Amino acid sequence: MKLRLLLLIVFLGIQTVHAQRVIKLPHEKPKIINWEKGEKEYFSKVANATIVANISSPTLTVYEPDPEKKNGTSIIIAPGGGMYFLSMKSEGYNVAEWLASKGITAYILKYRLVPTGEDAAEDLNAIIKESNQERIRITKEVLPYSVNDGLSAISYVRENAKTLGIDPQKIGFMGFSAGGVIAFGVVKECKKENRPNFLVPVYPGTDLISPKPTKDTPPTLFVTAANDQLIDATFFTELFNRWHKAGVKTGMHMYTKGGHGFGTWKRGFPSDNWLDRFYEWAESEDFITTKP
């Protein structure tokens, strides 16, 4: 009997972690893109990760902090995956749970992706080998819709701030790799009502949108690794210089080790603790106020 009760408690605990509230975001159906297969979450052997593919309808998955810890700050998380899939564990679930543990309301954004077959990671690898220019062409067809999903997410959170129990002036956008591209697109296309209050591009992609900061670009923290195998480190320093010269309050953590896609994996490098460094930055910029 005790064993059955223990198993039930464990099961309910697992269910509590994953049974988060999901918000459907308003969106227009593209005329030129067709998703033949439905949205699917699975473990991809090719990506060696839990991923979600074939997203055709954008959503926000809400991770609420303990009411006693809730500080009013919220962050929309855009996982990466080359616009072909989302890396959900390392750049989604783990990040959202960490933020919620710190009193921050986290929203995982499932933005629209390139339609794929049985394994989106395999499809991505195949198109890169065949023609990287073709990958860029295909990706750019869906990118405007993905960026709109990011803007829609900010609009929803800000418009419903009172109901959600968050501060409408402390909404951040954190994007990983391709999610960083979405972050750049959001800043490029936003209006006052759907502009994030701060931006955290984590090893952001660079070949789809060339970001040009302005005086209205929100305070930004770049997080990268110098040994990123996909993006030359000098591009990240150029991004920092571009932001700084535009008068944007800008910070950067560039680690010597980490590679591309280090996310929340623990490998014994200083980059393992980048979320702590983000938290310190956000506190220093008054985007997070710790409850006494």
Side-chain angles (χ1 to χ4, degrees):
M1 183 68 179
K2 288 182 179 179
L3 179 60
R4 287 177 63 188
L5 181 60
L6 178 61
L7 289 172
L8 179 62
I9 291 170
V10 170
F11 174 76
L12 289 174
I14 293 171
Q15 290 296 97
T16 302
V17 170
H18 295 287
Q20 305 296 331
R21 184 160 56 96
V22 176
I23 298 165
K24 294 182 179 179
L25 295 173
H27 61 284
E28 292 184 6
K29 186 176 179 181
K31 294 179 180 179
I32 61 172
I33 303 169
N34 182 38
W35 288 268
E36 294 181 359
K37 296 180 180 293
E39 181 181 317
K40 181 174 71 167
E41 178 170 342
Y42 59 101
F43 183 85
S44 167
K45 291 182 180 179
V46 175
N48 192 31
T50 298
I51 66 175
V52 171
N54 278 308
I55 297 171
S56 60
S57 298
T59 62
L60 286 175
T61 303
V62 188
Y63 281 70
E64 286 281 2
D66 186 310
E68 294 182 0
K69 289 185 176 181
K70 192 168 185 175
N71 53 36
T73 301
S74 62
I75 296 178
I76 296 163
I77 304 162
M83 297 291 294
Y84 273 60
F85 60 87
L86 301 184
S87 180
M88 292 304 292
K89 186 171 177 60
S90 174
E91 299 172 355
Y93 302 139
N94 291 352
V95 178
E97 289 170 5
W98 190 95
L99 293 173
S101 75
K102 298 293 185 180
I104 300 166
T105 307
Y107 302 88
I108 299 176
L109 172 63
K110 288 184 178 180
Y111 53 91
R112 281 172 282 185
L113 301 171
V114 172
T116 49
E118 288 303 313
D119 191 332
E122 187 175 342
D123 287 355
L124 178 58
N125 285 350
I127 193 67
I128 290 173
K129 289 179 181 178
E130 178 185 329
S131 169
N132 195 47
Q133 287 304 311
E134 181 64 6
R135 175 192 67 84
I136 292 173
R137 185 195 68 77
I138 292 171
T139 305
K140 282 189 173 182
E141 288 184 351
V142 74
L143 182 59
Y145 302 102
S146 309
V147 171
N148 282 341
D149 296 340
L151 292 168
S152 181
I154 297 167
S155 294
Y156 179 90
V157 173
R158 183 162 286 137
E159 289 169 6
N160 294 277
K162 187 174 182 180
T163 303
L164 296 169
I166 59 99
D167 187 334
Q169 301 308 315
K170 291 185 178 181
I171 301 171
F173 197 100
M174 179 182 288
F176 298 79
S177 192
V181 176
I182 305 303
F184 290 151
V186 161
V187 168
K188 182 180 178 182
E189 302 295 337
C190 69
K191 297 182 174 67
K192 184 177 180 180
E193 60 269 22
N194 55 14
R195 181 180 297 122
N197 300 104
F198 60 95
L199 200 68
V200 188
V202 186
Y203 41 84
T206 59
D207 58 355
L208 296 172
I209 293 177
S210 180
K212 295 179 181 178
T214 70
K215 61 181 178 62
D216 295 322
T217 299
T220 301
L221 177 68
F222 292 103
V223 181
T224 68
N227 68 338
D228 190 308
Q229 62 270 40
L230 299 183
I231 304 164
D232 192 282
T234 58
F235 185 86
F236 295 132
T237 56
E238 288 171 10
L239 276 177
F240 175 88
N241 291 336
R242 202 182 301 172
W243 253 244
H244 183 68
K245 288 178 181 178
V248 180
K249 294 178 74 173
T250 313
M252 174 180 276
H253 285 292
M254 182 182 286
Y255 297 95
T256 55
K257 296 179 181 179
H260 190 82
F262 53 82
T264 53
W265 302 125
K266 301 300 181 184
R267 293 179 291 177
F269 300 148
S271 56
D272 293 354
N273 303 310
W274 71 269
L275 274 167
D276 293 299
R277 305 292 79 79
F278 151 73
Y279 190 90
E280 293 166 353
W281 172 83
E283 266 194 316
S284 71
E285 297 296 332
D286 296 324
F287 293 121
I288 296 174
T289 304
T290 306
K291 284 191 172 184

